[in-house]
Amino acid sequence: MKLTRQIATFLLAGLFLFSGLIKLNDPIGTQLKLEEYFDVFSVDFPWMSGFWKLLIPQALLLSILLSSAEVVLAIALWLNFQTKKILYSFIGLILLFSFLTFYSAYFNKVTDCGCFGEAIKLTPWTSFGKDIFLLVLTGLLFATDKPTLRSKSGKWVLLSALLSIGFGVYSYFFLPIWDSLPYAIGENIPKNMKNREELKFSYIYKINGKETELSEMPTDPKAEYVSMRAINEKEARPLITDYQLWVDGDTTNYTQKLFNGNHVLVIVPNVHHTHEKVFSTIATLAKELKVPIWLISASTDEEVNALRHQYQLAFPALSADTKVLKTIIRSSPGLWLISQGTVKGKWSAYSLPTADQIHQSLN
């Protein structure tokens, strides 16, 4: 029983610690996922729509607090601190996650729960199975003898809470330390927009009155075609499927144009939810750069032009989808440097580079 408890503790604490740290590394990613859940619930549970809509503005705070709770619970369990209370907390949190993942899987509402951030993608049913596994581990710990409380472990638990929240706040202001998105530094955007491997198909033919699945088309002329399916669609699918830049009324393909040469892109998903004070710095930076600079936003032309006029942003603007821009960089505004389609640099509004740093990044 002692070995069983040790294994269960290691797995439960390890998975929660990993999950919490991954999400704290990218709190805005978890925020977006929570907002997606709240939007779905506001429609599916109309009698509580006001409550869910009230939670949407609090999604970032909940993202950091819930992710920090995962880390703190993992460390507290490992240190044998208030074990019974910690296990009850585990059950509460796991039941919450189980509800979200089951709802996603059964009703096909949110196809990626974000359990491990952007680093590891799980299907809803896989995520739900993972939560059931965690409940089993928690039950094993309840069923075995509880260890004694270690002295002074409470201080370490408190320290882990402070560090976890601090890590989440740091990642919010200064971008994720580990960027696992397809727009990260070093990634080639045109390459990520292509299939990762050639599609492979299986073919179902009726041969002698019986349906048979084949890896290639049969040579038997009497075989009757029924259907075909891609057997590696998930593996072959491009990492980027929705990246597109445009100007209303302009037929120029700006999506491809910005893959030629060097470009600094100022990413502003929504001009009404951005750190406006830094646009003065960006305007000055643009005058010092030897690299073409563009502003990209999902806001209307009128809103973008008003912002450009207010801060004297003397460079052109393009339009893009809000979700794409929030995926490119977890900051508004944020600077994104690309050269021949390859990402060379990313900077948040709270750590803007100098012109020299941008030029050095290209070299």
Side-chain angles (χ1 to χ4, degrees), residues 17-216:
L17 182 63
F18 178 72
S19 173
L21 289 176
I22 284 292
K23 291 200 280 284
L24 286 172
N25 174 67
D26 183 15
I28 293 182
T30 306
Q31 172 195 358
L32 297 175
K33 191 58 60 178
L34 289 174
E35 290 176 352
E36 188 176 354
Y37 273 114
F38 297 153
D39 279 331
V40 168
F41 292 157
S42 68
V43 175
D44 291 359
F45 304 101
W47 62 91
M48 294 181 63
S49 62
F51 170 73
W52 299 117
K53 291 179 179 178
L54 187 66
L55 288 179
I56 291 177
Q58 313 304 323
L60 177 62
L61 177 63
L62 291 173
S63 165
I64 294 177
L65 291 180
L66 284 174
S67 302
S68 298
E70 291 186 68
V71 174
V72 172
L73 288 177
I75 292 177
L77 179 64
W78 188 255
L79 295 176
N80 300 327
F81 176 75
Q82 298 288 335
T83 306
K84 193 170 184 179
K85 293 180 180 178
I86 292 300
L87 290 176
Y88 278 121
S89 299
F90 267 108
I91 289 178
L93 205 54
I94 295 172
L95 288 176
L96 171 63
F97 294 154
S98 298
F99 166 73
L100 296 178
T101 54
F102 175 79
Y103 196 87
S104 299
Y106 190 80
F107 295 101
N108 195 31
K109 292 290 185 176
V110 182
T111 56
D112 173 25
C113 70
C115 301
F116 296 113
E118 298 290 341
I120 301 177
K121 297 286 189 178
L122 299 179
T123 65
W125 282 120
T126 302
S127 300
F128 179 67
K130 178 261 300 177
D131 292 330
I132 297 302
F133 175 66
L134 293 176
L135 278 176
V136 172
L137 292 179
T138 308
L140 285 174
L141 292 178
F142 263 117
T144 55
D145 294 333
K146 310 298 187 297
T148 57
L149 174 66
R150 296 178 184 175
S151 61
K152 299 183 180 181
S153 58
K155 295 180 180 179
W156 291 106
V157 174
L158 177 59
L159 179 61
S160 70
L162 296 175
L163 291 176
S164 298
I165 294 174
F167 180 34
V169 172
Y170 176 88
S171 298
Y172 167 73
F173 283 109
F174 300 103
L175 301 183
I177 295 176
W178 302 285
D179 192 344
S180 55
L181 294 166
Y183 300 96
I185 294 175
E187 295 287 342
N188 183 268
I189 307 306
K191 178 182 177 182
N192 287 345
M193 293 173 67
K194 298 177 181 178
N195 283 345
R196 287 175 284 173
E197 59 183 60
E198 185 178 353
L199 279 171
K200 300 176 183 177
F201 298 91
S202 67
Y203 308 90
I204 298 178
Y205 276 81
K206 185 177 288 187
I207 302 175
N208 297 326
K210 182 180 179 182
E211 289 189 358
T212 304
E213 186 171 2
L214 307 171
S215 59
E216 57 184 28

Side-chain angles (χ1 to χ4, degrees), residues 119-346:
I120 301 177
K121 297 286 189 178
L122 299 179
T123 65
W125 282 120
T126 302
S127 300
F128 179 67
K130 178 261 300 177
D131 292 330
I132 297 302
F133 175 66
L134 293 176
L135 278 176
V136 172
L137 292 179
T138 308
L140 285 174
L141 292 178
F142 263 117
T144 55
D145 294 333
K146 310 298 187 297
T148 57
L149 174 66
R150 296 178 184 175
S151 61
K152 299 183 180 181
S153 58
K155 295 180 180 179
W156 291 106
V157 174
L158 177 59
L159 179 61
S160 70
L162 296 175
L163 291 176
S164 298
I165 294 174
F167 180 34
V169 172
Y170 176 88
S171 298
Y172 167 73
F173 283 109
F174 300 103
L175 301 183
I177 295 176
W178 302 285
D179 192 344
S180 55
L181 294 166
Y183 300 96
I185 294 175
E187 295 287 342
N188 183 268
I189 307 306
K191 178 182 177 182
N192 287 345
M193 293 173 67
K194 298 177 181 178
N195 283 345
R196 287 175 284 173
E197 59 183 60
E198 185 178 353
L199 279 171
K200 300 176 183 177
F201 298 91
S202 67
Y203 308 90
I204 298 178
Y205 276 81
K206 185 177 288 187
I207 302 175
N208 297 326
K210 182 180 179 182
E211 289 189 358
T212 304
E213 186 171 2
L214 307 171
S215 59
E216 57 184 28
M217 293 184 181
T219 57
D220 186 352
K222 296 182 180 180
E224 182 182 347
Y225 172 81
V226 177
S227 63
M228 61 182 291
R229 68 179 182 88
I231 58 178
N232 64 333
E233 183 178 2
K234 182 178 179 181
E235 293 77 12
R237 186 185 303 139
L239 294 173
I240 297 174
T241 58
D242 49 6
Y243 175 79
Q244 186 177 3
L245 307 177
W246 70 88
V247 174
D248 289 339
D250 193 332
T251 58
T252 304
N253 188 338
Y254 287 98
T255 304
Q256 295 297 323
K257 184 177 182 179
L258 266 64
F259 293 152
N260 298 321
N262 303 322
H263 297 277
V264 174
L265 308 181
V266 181
I267 308 297
V268 188
N270 188 326
V271 299
H272 297 297
H273 298 88
T274 188
H275 187 37
E276 277 199 29
K277 292 182 179 180
V278 302
F279 283 107
S280 297
T281 304
I282 291 175
T284 302
L285 176 64
K287 297 175 183 178
E288 301 172 354
L289 282 175
K290 300 176 182 178
V291 181
I293 184 168
W294 297 70
L295 186 148
I296 306 181
S297 178
S299 296
T300 65
D301 290 342
E302 292 77 9
E303 293 169 330
V304 171
N305 289 332
L307 179 72
R308 293 168 65 199
H309 177 73
Q310 180 179 354
Y311 292 97
Q312 300 298 301
L313 304 176
F315 45 86
L318 297 172
S319 296
D321 179 74
T322 306
K323 184 178 179 181
V324 171
L325 297 181
K326 289 182 178 180
T327 306
I328 289 175
I329 190 167
R330 305 301 203 193
S331 178
S332 181
L335 295 190
W336 193 45
L337 176 64
I338 59 175
S339 176
Q340 304 296 336
T342 298
V343 182
K344 295 293 185 177
K346 297 173 78 169

